[in-house]
Amino acid sequence: TAEEDAKCAKIISESVGYMLRTQEWGAMNRAVLRAENLAWAVRALPSDPAVKTWEMQRRALGDDNWGNWEIEDATIYHGVWLYSLLGYADALREMDGLFQTPEMFYYAQYFLNLMSPAGMIPDFGDAHWEANWPHYLVFFEAAAARYKNPQIKWAATRIARKFVDFAKPNSVGLGYMFM
């Protein structure tokens, strides 16, 4: 209803305003999370009075991450960064453009080559073993589809077989990630 739309728009607008009270920077997971949120907000509410500010901040944060090397130092953050960059590209309807950057091709090969016999990317940095598998599963699936690469698809399949029980679909969060 119009009332529900207005309520959602208010929640989005106020949430973005609150988020912009502090700053993030650089090619890192928190900054690209903000860029992704801003891209979705701009797409959802193009006539919001603050949309020009949102768009300016989206570009500032997004441009630091798009087609650039990231600065994360732990596997847990790499996965969040890649996943959020995918969401950012999706919000901009630029997924193909993202996968045309050399950095995305590099990271697809890099993480493929890091796959361990245990069926997951090994920890380094302040990571937590196997905690980030959904992010890598989504990244590998997207990369395999864009690059038409069976080895990258193997990595996605390996992670899915290890962690996902498709006979018991009961996780809303996992459903959201897959979407």
Side-chain angles (χ1 to χ4, degrees), residues 41-48 51 54:
V42 168
R43 186 166 156 186
L45 302 175
S47 59
D48 190 277
V51 77
W54 300 351

Side-chain angles (χ1 to χ4, degrees), residues 19-36:
M19 180 184 69
L20 291 177
R21 289 186 182 146
T22 59
Q23 182 59 30
E24 286 293 348
W25 58 271
M28 58 189 292
N29 75 76
R30 290 188 315 266
V32 77
L33 281 163
R34 287 179 182 223
E36 179 188 8

Side-chain angles (χ1 to χ4, degrees), residues 41-102:
V42 168
R43 186 166 156 186
L45 302 175
S47 59
D48 190 277
V51 77
K52 288 182 181 179
T53 300
W54 300 351
E55 179 63 14
M56 177 183 62
Q57 190 66 19
R58 183 220 37 101
R59 293 174 83 97
L61 294 173
D63 288 355
D64 279 349
N65 288 275
W66 189 284
N68 286 306
W69 303 105
E70 50 112 3
I71 61 172
E72 296 298 359
D73 61 355
T75 51
I76 199 163
Y77 303 128
H78 289 292
V80 172
W81 181 79
L82 289 165
Y83 178 80
S84 295
L85 197 52
L86 292 174
Y88 179 70
D90 189 24
L92 298 176
R93 296 181 174 103
E94 291 286 341
M95 194 70 79
D96 288 335
L98 177 65
F99 278 101
Q100 290 174 7
T101 65

